[in-house]
Amino acid sequence: MITIYDWFGYELPMEMRYQLIKEAGFDGVLLWWGEDFGRGDYRSGPELARKAGLFLENIHAPFDSQNDLWQDNLDGQALADCYLQCIADCAEFEIPAVVMHLPSENHPCTPLGLDRVKAIAEMAELLGVNVALENLWNYSNLAYVLEKIDSPRIGFCYDCCHHSNYDPEEELLSLYGSRLLALHLHDNGGSQDQHQIPFDGSVNWPETMKRISQTHYRGATALEPMNWDYVHLTPEEFLDKAYVKAKKLEALRFNMGKN
C-alpha cells in the first residue's frame, strides 16, 4: 500500500485534492488535523477522502505548541487535551492512528509531562487507536517516552529526513523498530533541506528501505513531500512523479525483505 500526506502544497479544493491523489495511483492518505494551511473544515476530510476511494492511514495532530506538553500551565494542559481529542476523533472517524510531536531537545521531559503521555496511552488503549510519536530534534524525549511507556498503542513515526538532519548517529530503527507505527518518507535537499520527492536528494534509499524492512513493519509506504521546489509542476505532474518514486521505494522495501 502506498500513501501520501494530503497537504502537499497547491491551492486546491479538498475534494479535487483527493481525486487527484487517487488518480495518480495512491491507495491512501495521511490527513493534517487542524484548520492551518487554509484547511477550514478539516473534519470533512475523512468523508471526502473515502468518497474518492482512499484509505485513511492516520491524522497528524497540530504541532505549533509542541513544547508546551511538559509545562505546568494552561497551555500545557490545552495541548494535552488537544492530543486526547485527536485520539477521540480517530475513533469517531475510524482512523487507525494519530501522529504527534513531543517537545524538542531543549525541553527535557518532566514528571507531569510523562503523566500526560500516560493519559494519552490510556485513552489510546481504551479506544483502540495507535499513537505514533514523530522523531524530530527530540531524540532524548522520544527515547525516554518509548522506554517509560510500555503500551502497544504508543510507538513512533519514522521520518527519514528528520533522522538524517537531527540525529543521524542514533540507531532509531534498530533500537525501536518493534515500536514503529508510521512512516514519513521524503528526501533531503532543496530550499528547505527536506520534503523533496524521493530520489531527488541525498537520502540513501537502498539503506533506508533495508532498515525499515528489517523492522518487519507492515504499514504503508507513506510519502510526505511538498511542492516547495516543484512549482514548475502542475499538481497532477507532482503527484505522478511522487507516485513513480513511491513505487520504487516499495520495491526496494520488499525486495530487501527477501534478502
Side-chain angles (χ1 to χ4, degrees), residues 45-60:
E47 181 180 357
L48 293 174
R50 288 189 172 113
K51 183 179 178 181
L54 294 166
F55 167 71
L56 277 59
E57 185 182 4
N58 57 54
I59 63 172
H60 199 307

Side-chain angles (χ1 to χ4, degrees), residues 99-128:
V99 175
M100 297 178 180
H101 287 188
L102 293 176
S104 57
E105 290 289 77
N106 53 355
H107 296 270
C109 186
T110 64
L112 173 61
L114 190 62
D115 284 343
R116 285 177 173 154
V117 180
K118 289 177 180 177
I120 287 169
E122 289 173 3
M123 177 170 278
E125 291 177 8
L126 178 65
L127 298 181

Side-chain angles (χ1 to χ4, degrees), residues 8-218:
F8 50 86
Y10 302 99
E11 293 298 327
L12 299 168
M14 290 309 301
E15 188 168 10
M16 179 183 294
R17 182 178 296 274
Y18 292 130
Q19 289 172 350
L20 293 178
I21 290 172
K22 181 64 177 179
E23 289 170 2
F26 290 94
D27 303 297
V29 286
L30 326 176
L31 280 69
W32 172 254
W33 205 245
E35 296 180 353
D36 309 274
F37 312 119
R39 194 60 172 253
D41 182 18
Y42 62 93
R43 293 172 69 86
S44 67
E47 181 180 357
L48 293 174
R50 288 189 172 113
K51 183 179 178 181
L54 294 166
F55 167 71
L56 277 59
E57 185 182 4
N58 57 54
I59 63 172
H60 199 307
F63 56 73
D64 286 346
S65 57
Q66 64 188 38
N67 292 328
D68 291 336
L69 189 60
W70 307 153
Q71 303 303 312
D72 187 7
N73 55 31
L74 292 177
D75 289 339
Q77 188 56 51
L79 181 60
D81 290 343
C82 172
Y83 283 177
L84 292 170
Q85 185 60 53
C86 285
I87 295 171
D89 288 345
C90 280
E92 177 183 348
F93 290 101
E94 299 182 333
I95 301 170
V98 53
V99 175
M100 297 178 180
H101 287 188
L102 293 176
S104 57
E105 290 289 77
N106 53 355
H107 296 270
C109 186
T110 64
L112 173 61
L114 190 62
D115 284 343
R116 285 177 173 154
V117 180
K118 289 177 180 177
I120 287 169
E122 289 173 3
M123 177 170 278
E125 291 177 8
L126 178 65
L127 298 181
V129 174
N130 288 335
V131 175
L133 306 170
E134 184 173 357
N135 62 291
L136 299 112
W137 184 55
N138 63 2
Y139 177 77
S140 296
N141 285 324
L142 177 61
Y144 182 77
V145 167
L146 290 177
E147 290 166 4
K148 292 294 184 180
I149 306 295
D150 183 19
S151 168
R153 293 295 179 180
I154 299 293
F156 78 107
C157 170
Y158 179 67
D159 187 300
C160 60
C161 280
H162 293 165
H163 187 195
S164 177
N165 289 337
Y166 302 133
D167 299 288
E169 73 285 355
E170 303 294 350
E171 296 292 338
L172 266 173
L173 292 170
S174 298
L175 290 170
Y176 304 110
S178 63
R179 307 285 293 274
L180 183 59
L181 295 176
L183 296 173
H184 283 172
L185 303 176
H186 48 110
D187 219 330
N188 272 335
S191 60
Q192 304 293 321
D193 199 28
Q194 59 183 333
H195 293 296
Q196 284 197 298
I197 291 174
F199 301 97
D200 284 356
S202 60
V203 170
N204 182 336
W205 287 111
E207 181 64 21
T208 297
M209 301 316 292
K210 178 181 179 180
R211 289 179 178 273
I212 290 171
S213 178
Q214 289 172 339
T215 70
H216 304 296
Y217 176 66
R218 289 294 176 261

